[in-house]
Amino acid sequence: MAQTIKPVISIIVPCYNQGTFLSETLQSVLDQAYPYWECIIVNDGSTDNTETIANEWIHKDSRFRYYNKENSGVSDTRNFAIGKAEGKYILPLDGDDKVGSQYAAEAIEIFEKEPDTKLVYSDLILFGAKNKKLRKPRYVYKNLFEENFISVSGIFKREDFLKTDGYNVNMAEGLEDWDFWLSFLQKGDKVVKLEGFHVFYRIKEVSRSTMIDHSKNERLLMQIFRNHESLLLEYLNPIRDYIGAEYNKREVESYKNCTELKIGLFLYASIRFIQRILKKIFSSKEE
């Protein structure tokens, strides 16, 4: 299908040695009911057949575009891809996952009807080594500090992305999507969860996610904490309301700014943050 108009949505697909699954991913893009898309495939220094597969698809449909660069990790690669995007909306899609045919259409309809919407996401289906429908909770801002219930394939406006610093490259080992949502979303933003299962998340016997679960969680969680220290301290502060009720304004500000409180809150909040996440991780593993 020849492209005749500027794409409305840019689907970005970073790939690192995912050639085995890439055609399935790109077929799900081609199957989109909404036709005004472009798909930007970025090969992040793969050593497999990713380039061969990508070249087959760019010759199949001109809406696919391909770039090859040195390996720099998924965060930098997503940022690179969005820098090449022309669409009004961005849909990140990992090179081994898939999206349902109605996903872009339903999300764009929401954005067009409700222009103040900042993000659209959906329930997802696990497939591959594990097959399961996974219903995500309705969006509540404060709950984002306890778990990442928005998949990497949430859809957002490119103009909103450009107001951020993008995906943080210091999250190269994983959880970069959660870290990004904490940067991207602010209290009061409108986030819409679609009905239905529109994202298909592949589970492999050995994957980046399973490796994270077993050996990297605490380090990655602490990095998220460091990246968002002020924000997390604000929302994990157990005595914020108490001091507001017990002291006058000047004393409150003095108390809030004292070194002892800051150190205590940092230690308390970081431990509490990690405990909450680990509890959810181990609970989900027992299911």
Side-chain angles (χ1 to χ4, degrees):
M1 175 179 177
Q3 182 144 334
T4 57
I5 65 172
K6 183 177 179 179
V8 175
I9 187 168
S10 298
I11 303 173
I12 62 162
V13 182
C15 323
Y16 177 70
N17 289 342
Q18 293 166 318
T20 301
F21 311 110
L22 185 57
S23 284
E24 285 185 68
T25 298
L26 300 183
Q27 184 64 53
S28 78
V29 174
L30 188 63
D31 290 342
Q32 288 302 297
Y34 188 85
Y36 305 118
W37 52 263
E38 65 173 351
C39 181
I40 300 173
I41 311 161
V42 182
N43 183 355
D44 185 29
S46 298
T47 57
D48 65 355
N49 65 338
T50 290
E51 182 158 336
T52 300
I53 300 299
N55 280 323
E56 292 175 1
W57 283 85
I58 63 174
H59 289 102
K60 186 177 296 188
D61 193 302
S62 62
R63 292 173 293 179
F64 290 102
R65 295 161 54 195
Y66 174 67
Y67 296 89
N68 186 20
K69 67 176 189 61
E70 292 184 2
N71 179 260
S72 61
V74 68
S75 291
D76 185 62
T77 303
R78 286 202 193 106
N79 294 338
F80 175 90
I82 295 174
K84 301 294 183 182
E86 298 180 2
K88 181 178 180 180
Y89 307 107
I90 301 294
L91 165 52
L93 178 61
D94 283 350
D96 55 353
D97 294 339
K98 300 186 293 184
V99 284
S101 61
Q102 298 296 323
Y103 189 32
E106 291 191 19
I108 290 171
E109 183 178 6
I110 292 291
F111 281 116
E112 297 300 316
K113 286 183 177 179
E114 305 173 38
D116 58 336
T117 301
K118 188 144 185 201
L119 178 72
V120 174
Y121 71 106
S122 82
D123 294 320
L124 57 84
I125 293 177
L126 307 180
F127 73 106
K130 182 178 182 179
N131 295 278
K132 181 180 179 181
K133 287 186 175 181
L134 198 59
R135 290 201 175 274
K136 295 294 186 175
R138 294 287 179 184
Y139 178 76
V140 177
Y141 178 66
K142 67 178 182 179
N143 291 349
L144 196 58
F145 298 97
E146 298 186 14
E147 65 173 320
N148 182 21
F149 50 86
I150 302 172
S151 81
V152 67
S153 293
I155 301 177
F156 49 87
K157 298 173 187 173
R158 181 163 59 98
E159 66 177 6
D160 287 333
F161 176 87
L162 296 177
K163 296 174 185 176
T164 74
D165 293 327
Y167 291 90
N168 199 323
V169 296
N170 70 15
M171 300 300 299
E173 293 182 293
L175 303 188
E176 75 292 331
D177 51 337
W178 188 7
D179 182 85
F180 176 68
W181 300 135
L182 288 170
S183 298
F184 183 74
L185 295 170
Q186 300 176 6
K187 185 177 181 180
D189 284 342
K190 183 173 184 177
V191 176
V192 175
K193 177 178 175 287
L194 296 176
E195 298 297 332
F197 298 86
H198 295 281
V199 176
F200 297 77
Y201 182 79
R202 186 184 299 273
I203 302 295
K204 299 189 284 290
E205 293 296 341
V206 177
S207 69
R208 202 163 60 108
S209 296
T210 56
M211 291 171 66
I212 289 170
D213 284 347
H214 291 113
S215 63
K216 300 177 182 177
N217 266 298
E218 290 189 27
R219 183 167 72 252
L220 289 171
L221 290 168
M222 280 307 302
Q223 187 60 60
I224 289 178
F225 188 88
R226 294 187 191 100
N227 290 347
H228 306 280
E229 179 182 331
S230 297
L231 187 62
L232 287 166
L233 285 175
E234 177 184 353
Y235 279 88
L236 297 177
N237 184 342
I239 58 175
R240 179 183 55 214
D241 296 332
Y242 173 78
I243 63 174
E246 295 296 320
Y247 296 88
N248 64 44
K249 185 175 181 180
R250 180 177 298 178
E251 289 171 327
V252 167
E253 291 306 313
S254 175
Y255 186 54
K256 284 181 178 179
N257 292 325
C258 75
T259 302
E260 291 82 0
L261 178 64
K262 288 182 178 179
I263 292 173
L265 286 178
F266 177 85
L267 293 173
Y268 172 85
S270 59
I271 293 169
R272 185 180 177 197
F273 180 60
I274 292 173
Q275 285 177 332
R276 285 182 174 186
I277 305 308
L278 290 178
K279 181 179 180 181
K280 289 183 178 294
I281 290 169
F282 288 116
S283 294
S284 63
K285 288 172 69 175
E286 291 172 359
E287 292 179 355

